[in-house]
Amino acid sequence: MHIALLAPLPPEKNGIADYAGHLKSALEQQGVTISTPLLGVGNDVDKALERVAQWDWQGIDLVHAEIGGGRLAEFNALRELRRRFPGLPITATVHDPERLVWRRAQLPWPLSMASGMPSPVPQIATVLADPLCLHEERQLARSLTRLITLTQSGGHALRKRMGLREEQMAVVPHGNLLIPPAPLPPLEPLRLLYFGFIYRGKGIEDLLDALTLTFAQQPALRSTIRLTLAGGSEPEMAFGPSGGYIGQLRQRITQAGLEGNIDWQLDLPAADIAKVIQAHHVMVLPYRESSKLKLLGTQRGTSGALSWAVACGRGAITSDARSFAEEVAGGNGVIFAQGNVAALAAEISHLCATPELAQRWSEHASLIGSQRVWPHTAERFLKVFAAACTEH
Protein backbone atom coordinates (compact mmCIF):
# COMPACT_ATOMS: atom_id res chain seq x y z
CA MET A 1 0.00 0.00 0.00
CA HIS A 2 1.24 3.48 -0.92
CA ILE A 3 -0.09 6.21 1.38
CA ALA A 4 0.34 9.96 1.11
CA LEU A 5 0.59 11.35 4.66
CA LEU A 6 -0.46 14.98 5.12
CA ALA A 7 0.75 15.99 8.56
CA PRO A 8 3.30 18.06 10.44
CA LEU A 9 6.36 16.00 11.24
CA PRO A 10 9.40 16.43 13.51
CA PRO A 11 11.38 18.62 13.93
CA GLU A 12 8.20 20.74 14.10
CA LYS A 13 7.44 21.23 17.80
CA ASN A 14 3.86 20.23 18.47
CA GLY A 15 2.05 17.15 19.70
CA ILE A 16 0.53 16.27 16.33
CA ALA A 17 3.95 16.27 14.68
CA ASP A 18 5.23 13.87 17.35
CA TYR A 19 2.19 11.63 16.83
CA ALA A 20 2.51 11.66 13.05
CA GLY A 21 6.21 10.83 13.23
CA HIS A 22 5.54 7.73 15.33
CA LEU A 23 2.63 6.66 13.11
CA LYS A 24 4.73 7.05 9.96
CA SER A 25 7.52 4.93 11.41
CA ALA A 26 5.11 2.23 12.63
CA LEU A 27 3.35 2.00 9.26
CA GLU A 28 6.66 1.76 7.41
CA GLN A 29 7.66 -1.10 9.69
CA GLN A 30 4.45 -2.83 8.54
CA GLY A 31 5.67 -2.58 4.94
CA VAL A 32 3.64 0.47 3.93
CA THR A 33 5.19 3.00 1.54
CA ILE A 34 4.72 6.54 2.89
CA SER A 35 5.05 9.74 0.88
CA THR A 36 4.92 13.16 2.56
CA PRO A 37 3.77 15.75 0.00
CA LEU A 38 3.57 18.61 2.51
CA LEU A 39 6.92 18.05 4.20
CA GLY A 40 8.55 21.36 5.02
CA VAL A 41 5.60 23.65 4.24
CA GLY A 42 4.76 24.19 7.93
CA ASN A 43 1.29 25.62 8.34
CA ASP A 44 1.45 27.73 5.17
CA VAL A 45 -1.80 27.26 3.26
CA ASP A 46 -0.52 28.73 -0.02
CA LYS A 47 2.54 26.48 -0.04
CA ALA A 48 0.39 23.47 0.81
CA LEU A 49 -1.96 24.15 -2.11
CA GLU A 50 1.05 24.65 -4.38
CA ARG A 51 2.41 21.24 -3.36
CA VAL A 52 -0.97 19.62 -4.03
CA ALA A 53 -0.95 21.09 -7.52
CA GLN A 54 2.64 20.00 -8.25
CA TRP A 55 2.63 16.53 -6.69
CA ASP A 56 2.23 13.43 -8.83
CA TRP A 57 -0.71 11.61 -7.21
CA GLN A 58 -0.55 8.62 -9.56
CA GLY A 59 0.01 5.40 -7.67
CA ILE A 60 -1.27 6.74 -4.32
CA ASP A 61 -3.71 4.22 -2.88
CA LEU A 62 -4.94 6.41 -0.03
CA VAL A 63 -4.37 9.84 1.47
CA HIS A 64 -4.27 10.10 5.25
CA ALA A 65 -4.10 13.36 7.20
CA GLU A 66 -3.54 14.37 10.79
CA ILE A 67 -5.85 17.31 11.52
CA GLY A 68 -6.07 19.49 14.61
CA GLY A 69 -4.39 22.23 16.56
CA GLY A 70 -5.56 24.82 14.04
CA ARG A 71 -3.49 23.14 11.29
CA LEU A 72 -4.91 24.87 8.23
CA ALA A 73 -2.33 23.61 5.71
CA GLU A 74 -3.53 20.01 5.89
CA PHE A 75 -7.19 21.03 6.06
CA ASN A 76 -7.06 23.13 2.90
CA ALA A 77 -4.90 20.58 1.11
CA LEU A 78 -7.59 17.97 1.78
CA ARG A 79 -10.31 20.26 0.45
CA GLU A 80 -8.37 20.73 -2.78
CA LEU A 81 -7.61 17.02 -3.08
CA ARG A 82 -11.25 16.09 -2.66
CA ARG A 83 -12.21 18.65 -5.29
CA ARG A 84 -9.68 17.24 -7.77
CA PHE A 85 -10.11 13.53 -6.97
CA PRO A 86 -13.69 12.75 -5.88
CA GLY A 87 -13.03 8.99 -5.86
CA LEU A 88 -9.75 9.02 -3.93
CA PRO A 89 -9.91 7.26 -0.54
CA ILE A 90 -9.12 9.92 2.06
CA THR A 91 -8.93 9.36 5.82
CA ALA A 92 -8.01 11.69 8.66
CA THR A 93 -7.23 11.47 12.34
CA VAL A 94 -9.12 14.32 14.00
CA HIS A 95 -7.18 15.37 17.10
CA ASP A 96 -9.50 18.14 18.33
CA PRO A 97 -13.08 16.96 17.93
CA GLU A 98 -15.88 18.11 17.85
CA ARG A 99 -14.41 20.32 15.12
CA LEU A 100 -11.69 19.79 12.51
CA VAL A 101 -9.72 23.05 12.66
CA TRP A 102 -11.96 25.55 14.48
CA ARG A 103 -10.93 28.57 12.40
CA ARG A 104 -10.43 29.77 8.81
CA ALA A 105 -7.13 30.83 7.29
CA GLN A 106 -8.68 34.21 6.44
CA LEU A 107 -11.82 35.97 7.54
CA PRO A 108 -14.20 36.98 4.74
CA TRP A 109 -14.59 40.67 3.85
CA PRO A 110 -15.62 42.90 5.62
CA LEU A 111 -14.77 40.93 8.79
CA SER A 112 -11.17 40.68 7.57
CA MET A 113 -10.81 44.40 8.32
CA ALA A 114 -10.90 43.53 12.03
CA SER A 115 -7.63 41.61 11.97
CA GLY A 116 -5.48 44.64 12.79
CA MET A 117 -7.82 46.12 15.38
CA PRO A 118 -7.34 45.90 19.15
CA SER A 119 -8.87 43.06 21.18
CA PRO A 120 -11.67 41.97 21.39
CA VAL A 121 -12.61 43.09 17.86
CA PRO A 122 -10.69 40.29 16.05
CA GLN A 123 -12.19 37.69 18.41
CA ILE A 124 -15.69 38.99 17.75
CA ALA A 125 -15.04 38.85 14.01
CA THR A 126 -13.88 35.24 14.34
CA VAL A 127 -17.11 34.30 16.12
CA LEU A 128 -19.20 36.09 13.49
CA ALA A 129 -17.39 34.20 10.72
CA ASP A 130 -17.71 30.85 12.46
CA PRO A 131 -20.86 29.69 10.59
CA LEU A 132 -18.82 29.82 7.37
CA CYS A 133 -15.93 27.92 8.96
CA LEU A 134 -18.30 25.30 10.35
CA HIS A 135 -19.92 24.89 6.94
CA GLU A 136 -16.51 24.28 5.33
CA GLU A 137 -15.53 21.80 8.04
CA ARG A 138 -18.79 19.87 7.62
CA GLN A 139 -18.43 19.88 3.86
CA LEU A 140 -14.96 18.33 4.05
CA ALA A 141 -15.79 15.93 6.89
CA ARG A 142 -18.78 14.50 5.05
CA SER A 143 -16.66 13.93 1.93
CA LEU A 144 -13.97 11.92 3.75
CA THR A 145 -13.97 8.14 3.58
CA ARG A 146 -13.09 7.63 7.26
CA LEU A 147 -12.61 9.97 10.23
CA ILE A 148 -10.57 8.54 13.09
CA THR A 149 -10.70 9.78 16.66
CA LEU A 150 -8.57 8.75 19.62
CA THR A 151 -11.53 8.19 21.97
CA GLN A 152 -15.16 7.09 21.77
CA SER A 153 -16.38 10.34 23.30
CA GLY A 154 -14.39 12.33 20.75
CA GLY A 155 -15.89 10.30 17.94
CA HIS A 156 -19.42 10.79 19.25
CA ALA A 157 -18.93 14.57 19.50
CA LEU A 158 -17.39 14.79 16.03
CA ARG A 159 -20.09 12.72 14.39
CA LYS A 160 -22.87 14.77 15.96
CA ARG A 161 -21.39 18.20 15.18
CA MET A 162 -20.29 17.37 11.63
CA GLY A 163 -23.43 15.37 10.76
CA LEU A 164 -21.52 12.22 9.80
CA ARG A 165 -22.63 8.68 9.05
CA GLU A 166 -21.80 5.93 11.54
CA GLU A 167 -19.86 3.99 8.90
CA GLN A 168 -17.52 6.95 8.38
CA MET A 169 -16.27 6.75 11.96
CA ALA A 170 -13.42 4.77 13.53
CA VAL A 171 -11.69 4.91 16.92
CA VAL A 172 -8.00 4.12 17.28
CA PRO A 173 -6.58 4.95 20.75
CA HIS A 174 -3.41 7.03 20.95
CA GLY A 175 -0.40 4.85 20.20
CA ASN A 176 2.59 4.73 22.51
CA LEU A 177 6.17 3.49 22.49
CA LEU A 178 7.15 0.18 24.03
CA ILE A 179 8.89 1.30 27.23
CA PRO A 180 10.60 -1.26 29.50
CA PRO A 181 8.78 -1.29 32.87
CA ALA A 182 10.36 0.34 35.89
CA PRO A 183 9.27 0.08 39.54
CA LEU A 184 7.85 3.10 41.31
CA PRO A 185 10.41 5.15 43.20
CA PRO A 186 10.29 5.10 47.03
CA LEU A 187 6.91 6.42 48.18
CA GLU A 188 8.39 9.32 50.14
CA PRO A 189 8.67 11.91 48.90
CA LEU A 190 5.62 11.60 46.66
CA ARG A 191 6.79 12.71 43.22
CA LEU A 192 4.18 14.39 41.02
CA LEU A 193 4.84 15.29 37.39
CA TYR A 194 3.31 17.75 34.99
CA PHE A 195 4.50 16.79 31.51
CA GLY A 196 3.73 18.40 28.17
CA PHE A 197 4.16 21.61 26.27
CA ILE A 198 4.11 24.45 28.77
CA TYR A 199 1.78 27.27 27.81
CA ARG A 200 -1.33 29.02 29.02
CA GLY A 201 -4.50 26.97 29.22
CA LYS A 202 -2.91 23.82 30.62
CA GLY A 203 -4.10 24.67 34.15
CA ILE A 204 -0.58 24.73 35.59
CA GLU A 205 -1.56 27.67 37.79
CA ASP A 206 -4.33 25.51 39.28
CA LEU A 207 -1.78 22.81 40.09
CA LEU A 208 0.47 25.29 41.87
CA ASP A 209 -2.49 26.73 43.78
CA ALA A 210 -3.63 23.21 44.74
CA LEU A 211 -0.18 22.43 46.09
CA THR A 212 -0.21 25.67 48.07
CA LEU A 213 -3.65 24.82 49.49
CA THR A 214 -2.53 21.30 50.38
CA PHE A 215 0.42 22.65 52.38
CA ALA A 216 -1.79 25.25 54.07
CA GLN A 217 -4.24 22.55 55.17
CA GLN A 218 -1.59 19.98 56.09
CA PRO A 219 1.78 21.67 56.75
CA ALA A 220 3.45 18.32 57.46
CA LEU A 221 3.04 17.34 53.81
CA ARG A 222 5.44 20.08 52.65
CA SER A 223 8.39 17.79 53.28
CA THR A 224 6.77 14.79 51.55
CA ILE A 225 5.72 16.12 48.11
CA ARG A 226 7.77 17.24 45.11
CA LEU A 227 6.38 18.47 41.80
CA THR A 228 8.31 18.49 38.53
CA LEU A 229 7.27 20.73 35.66
CA ALA A 230 8.63 19.08 32.53
CA GLY A 231 8.19 19.49 28.81
CA GLY A 232 8.62 21.84 25.88
CA SER A 233 8.99 25.50 26.73
CA GLU A 234 8.60 26.89 23.20
CA PRO A 235 5.82 25.03 21.39
CA GLU A 236 4.72 26.15 17.95
CA MET A 237 1.26 27.31 18.87
CA ALA A 238 -1.69 27.80 16.58
CA PHE A 239 -3.63 29.91 19.08
CA GLY A 240 -0.97 32.35 20.22
CA PRO A 241 2.60 32.45 21.56
CA SER A 242 3.61 31.57 25.09
CA GLY A 243 5.49 34.84 25.59
CA GLY A 244 6.99 35.16 29.05
CA TYR A 245 4.86 32.42 30.55
CA ILE A 246 7.73 30.43 32.08
CA GLY A 247 8.90 33.54 33.91
CA GLN A 248 5.38 34.17 35.19
CA LEU A 249 5.20 30.62 36.54
CA ARG A 250 8.54 31.02 38.32
CA GLN A 251 7.31 34.26 39.89
CA ARG A 252 4.09 32.57 41.03
CA ILE A 253 6.10 29.73 42.58
CA THR A 254 8.30 32.21 44.48
CA GLN A 255 5.31 34.20 45.74
CA ALA A 256 3.66 30.99 46.98
CA GLY A 257 6.83 29.84 48.73
CA LEU A 258 7.00 26.64 46.69
CA GLU A 259 10.61 26.89 45.48
CA GLY A 260 11.69 24.04 47.75
CA ASN A 261 9.05 21.69 46.28
CA ILE A 262 9.39 22.39 42.56
CA ASP A 263 11.82 20.91 40.04
CA TRP A 264 12.11 21.87 36.37
CA GLN A 265 12.92 19.67 33.37
CA LEU A 266 12.44 21.95 30.38
CA ASP A 267 12.91 20.92 26.74
CA LEU A 268 13.55 17.28 27.54
CA PRO A 269 15.47 15.34 24.90
CA ALA A 270 13.24 12.57 23.56
CA ALA A 271 15.64 9.94 24.88
CA ASP A 272 15.12 11.18 28.45
CA ILE A 273 11.31 11.41 28.53
CA ALA A 274 10.61 7.87 29.75
CA LYS A 275 13.35 8.05 32.39
CA VAL A 276 11.91 11.29 33.79
CA ILE A 277 8.32 10.00 33.82
CA GLN A 278 9.31 6.75 35.53
CA ALA A 279 11.20 8.70 38.19
CA HIS A 280 7.77 9.92 39.38
CA HIS A 281 4.73 8.27 40.90
CA VAL A 282 1.85 10.04 39.16
CA MET A 283 1.34 12.46 36.28
CA VAL A 284 -0.95 15.44 36.93
CA LEU A 285 -2.73 17.11 33.99
CA PRO A 286 -4.95 19.96 35.22
CA TYR A 287 -6.07 21.19 31.78
CA ARG A 288 -8.87 23.72 31.43
CA GLU A 289 -11.20 24.11 28.48
CA SER A 290 -10.39 27.25 26.50
CA SER A 291 -12.94 29.97 27.22
CA LYS A 292 -12.47 31.25 23.66
CA LEU A 293 -13.07 27.86 22.06
CA LYS A 294 -16.19 27.36 24.17
CA LEU A 295 -17.85 29.99 21.97
CA LEU A 296 -17.21 27.76 18.96
CA GLY A 297 -17.80 24.29 20.39
CA THR A 298 -16.65 21.63 22.82
CA GLN A 299 -13.16 20.19 22.59
CA ARG A 300 -13.06 16.42 23.09
CA GLY A 301 -9.48 15.56 22.17
CA THR A 302 -7.01 13.75 24.39
CA SER A 303 -3.36 14.20 25.31
CA GLY A 304 -0.06 12.82 24.14
CA ALA A 305 1.15 13.22 27.72
CA LEU A 306 -1.43 10.67 28.88
CA SER A 307 -0.13 8.30 26.23
CA TRP A 308 3.37 8.68 27.68
CA ALA A 309 1.98 8.00 31.16
CA VAL A 310 0.48 4.63 30.19
CA ALA A 311 3.55 3.74 28.13
CA CYS A 312 5.71 4.31 31.20
CA GLY A 313 3.33 2.54 33.56
CA ARG A 314 2.27 5.58 35.55
CA GLY A 315 -1.17 6.68 36.68
CA ALA A 316 -2.63 10.14 36.28
CA ILE A 317 -4.69 12.73 38.10
CA THR A 318 -6.47 14.71 35.40
CA SER A 319 -9.15 17.31 35.09
CA ASP A 320 -12.41 16.37 33.39
CA ALA A 321 -11.49 18.48 30.34
CA ARG A 322 -11.38 17.02 26.83
CA SER A 323 -11.81 13.22 26.85
CA PHE A 324 -9.62 12.64 29.90
CA ALA A 325 -12.37 10.91 31.87
CA GLU A 326 -12.46 8.15 29.26
CA GLU A 327 -8.68 7.89 29.20
CA VAL A 328 -8.39 7.16 32.95
CA ALA A 329 -11.50 4.99 33.15
CA GLY A 330 -9.36 1.85 33.04
CA GLY A 331 -8.34 2.12 36.68
CA ASN A 332 -5.19 4.09 35.80
CA GLY A 333 -6.10 7.35 37.49
CA VAL A 334 -8.75 9.74 38.73
CA ILE A 335 -10.40 12.94 37.52
CA PHE A 336 -11.43 16.18 39.20
CA ALA A 337 -13.56 19.09 38.01
CA GLN A 338 -11.46 21.40 35.87
CA GLY A 339 -10.60 24.67 37.55
CA ASN A 340 -11.57 23.32 40.99
CA VAL A 341 -8.38 23.90 42.98
CA ALA A 342 -9.88 22.49 46.18
CA ALA A 343 -10.84 19.26 44.39
CA LEU A 344 -7.34 18.85 42.99
CA ALA A 345 -5.82 19.52 46.43
CA ALA A 346 -8.14 16.87 47.87
CA GLU A 347 -6.93 14.30 45.31
CA ILE A 348 -3.30 15.09 46.14
CA SER A 349 -4.01 14.73 49.86
CA HIS A 350 -5.88 11.47 49.26
CA LEU A 351 -2.93 10.09 47.32
CA CYS A 352 -0.58 11.05 50.15
CA ALA A 353 -2.82 9.26 52.64
CA THR A 354 -3.21 6.14 50.47
CA PRO A 355 0.03 5.86 48.44
CA GLU A 356 -0.89 2.33 47.39
CA LEU A 357 -3.16 4.05 44.85
CA ALA A 358 -0.06 4.97 42.87
CA GLN A 359 0.90 1.31 42.64
CA ARG A 360 -2.60 0.26 41.59
CA TRP A 361 -2.80 2.97 38.93
CA SER A 362 0.65 2.00 37.70
CA GLU A 363 -0.38 -1.62 37.16
CA HIS A 364 -3.48 -0.67 35.19
CA ALA A 365 -1.53 1.90 33.15
CA SER A 366 1.07 -0.72 32.22
CA LEU A 367 -1.66 -3.03 30.94
CA ILE A 368 -3.22 -0.28 28.82
CA GLY A 369 0.19 0.74 27.52
CA SER A 370 0.99 -2.80 26.37
CA GLN A 371 -2.22 -2.84 24.32
CA ARG A 372 -1.48 0.48 22.61
CA VAL A 373 2.11 0.09 21.44
CA TRP A 374 2.66 1.59 18.00
CA PRO A 375 2.93 -1.74 16.12
CA HIS A 376 -0.58 -2.68 17.35
CA THR A 377 -1.81 0.84 16.60
CA ALA A 378 -0.43 0.66 13.06
CA GLU A 379 -2.29 -2.64 12.56
CA ARG A 380 -5.53 -0.94 13.63
CA PHE A 381 -4.89 1.90 11.17
CA LEU A 382 -4.21 -0.57 8.36
CA LYS A 383 -7.60 -2.20 8.95
CA VAL A 384 -9.25 1.22 8.66
CA PHE A 385 -7.24 2.01 5.51
CA ALA A 386 -8.12 -1.34 3.92
CA ALA A 387 -11.83 -0.76 4.56
CA ALA A 388 -11.57 2.76 3.11
CA CYS A 389 -9.88 1.49 -0.06
CA THR A 390 -12.44 -1.29 -0.45
CA GLU A 391 -15.29 1.18 -0.12
CA HIS A 392 -13.95 3.41 -2.89
Side-chain angles (χ1 to χ4, degrees):
M1 181 179 286
H2 189 175
I3 293 175
L5 176 63
L6 308 186
L9 288 165
E12 290 192 54
K13 295 181 180 179
N14 59 71
I16 296 179
D18 294 341
Y19 178 95
H22 290 306
L23 176 61
K24 177 177 179 291
S25 177
L27 289 172
E28 288 173 334
Q29 290 173 21
Q30 296 283 342
V32 178
T33 300
I34 304 289
S35 294
T36 52
L38 302 187
L39 187 64
V41 307
N43 200 20
D44 189 311
V45 173
D46 292 334
K47 288 183 179 179
L49 294 177
E50 185 178 329
R51 288 283 184 89
V52 170
Q54 295 174 348
W55 195 266
D56 181 7
W57 297 95
Q58 294 295 321
I60 297 295
D61 298 306
L62 176 138
V63 173
H64 177 72
E66 300 293 328
I67 300 179
R71 294 287 306 193
L72 296 163
E74 292 79 18
F75 176 77
N76 285 280
L78 285 185
R79 293 183 70 203
E80 177 62 14
L81 273 173
R82 181 47 84 215
R83 185 189 68 81
R84 288 182 55 188
F85 306 109
L88 180 65
I90 300 179
T91 62
T93 309
V94 182
H95 288 265
D96 294 322
E98 59 183 9
R99 303 281 295 267
L100 299 187
V101 287
W102 297 80
R103 65 189 182 105
R104 300 187 81 243
Q106 293 181 328
L107 295 178
W109 191 89
L111 294 175
S112 56
M113 299 172 62
S115 59
M117 297 182 181
S119 180
V121 177
Q123 291 84 351
I124 293 173
T126 297
V127 173
L128 292 174
D130 187 58
L132 175 59
C133 179
L134 182 59
H135 169 74
E136 292 171 347
E137 287 177 297
R138 284 174 170 162
Q139 190 177 46
L140 176 62
R142 292 170 184 176
S143 77
L144 298 182
T145 319
R146 290 288 186 279
L147 296 99
I148 301 159
T149 57
L150 306 180
T151 63
Q152 295 287 348
S153 54
H156 176 76
L158 180 70
R159 181 188 173 198
K160 183 177 179 181
R161 191 70 189 275
M162 295 292 108
L164 303 171
R165 305 184 310 276
E166 177 66 33
E167 58 268 25
Q168 285 181 275
M169 309 302 299
V171 176
V172 179
H174 199 305
N176 56 252
L177 296 174
L178 177 60
I179 306 294
L184 291 174
L187 290 175
E188 191 170 317
L190 178 68
R191 297 188 178 275
L192 306 177
L193 172 69
Y194 167 86
F195 172 69
F197 290 113
I198 297 177
Y199 54 84
R200 295 177 181 86
K202 292 295 190 78
I204 300 173
E205 298 90 344
D206 291 341
L207 178 52
L208 296 176
D209 291 347
L211 206 57
T212 302
L213 179 59
T214 299
F215 295 155
Q217 294 173 337
Q218 301 181 68
L221 292 182
R222 184 177 290 272
S223 63
T224 68
I225 300 177
R226 295 200 67 80
L227 167 66
T228 300
L229 301 177
S233 62
E234 296 181 0
E236 295 170 359
M237 289 297 296
F239 298 111
S242 59
Y245 183 58
I246 299 291
Q248 293 172 16
L249 287 179
R250 292 186 186 275
Q251 185 178 16
R252 194 183 192 105
I253 288 167
T254 300
Q255 291 173 345
L258 295 175
E259 304 101 315
N261 298 91
I262 305 294
D263 299 305
W264 292 86
Q265 291 275 357
L266 296 180
D267 301 318
L268 276 176
D272 293 343
I273 291 175
K275 180 174 63 176
V276 168
I277 293 174
Q278 290 180 329
H280 293 79
H281 297 96
V282 173
M283 190 178 289
V284 186
L285 299 177
Y287 289 21
R288 282 191 179 205
E289 303 280 3
S290 166
S291 58
K292 295 178 182 178
L293 289 183
K294 279 183 179 179
L295 297 174
L296 310 178
T298 302
Q299 197 171 42
R300 284 293 173 262
T302 183
S303 163
L306 270 177
S307 176
W308 273 105
V310 297
C312 294
R314 295 297 181 264
I317 299 173
T318 79
S319 74
D320 59 357
R322 304 192 182 187
S323 291
F324 290 169
E326 181 177 333
E327 291 286 67
V328 297
N332 56 312
V334 67
I335 63 167
F336 67 94
Q338 59 181 298
N340 190 329
V341 171
L344 176 53
E347 294 298 345
I348 293 173
S349 297
H350 181 54
L351 182 59
C352 289
T354 53
E356 61 270 18
L357 275 176
Q359 183 62 50
R360 195 182 315 155
W361 293 346
S362 173
E363 292 168 357
H364 287 285
S366 295
L367 178 60
I368 295 170
S370 68
Q371 297 167 345
R372 296 185 178 183
V373 291
W374 275 111
H376 294 338
T377 301
E379 291 170 358
R380 295 184 181 107
F381 267 96
L382 285 176
K383 289 180 180 178
V384 175
F385 295 159
C389 289
T390 300
E391 181 174 314
H392 267 82

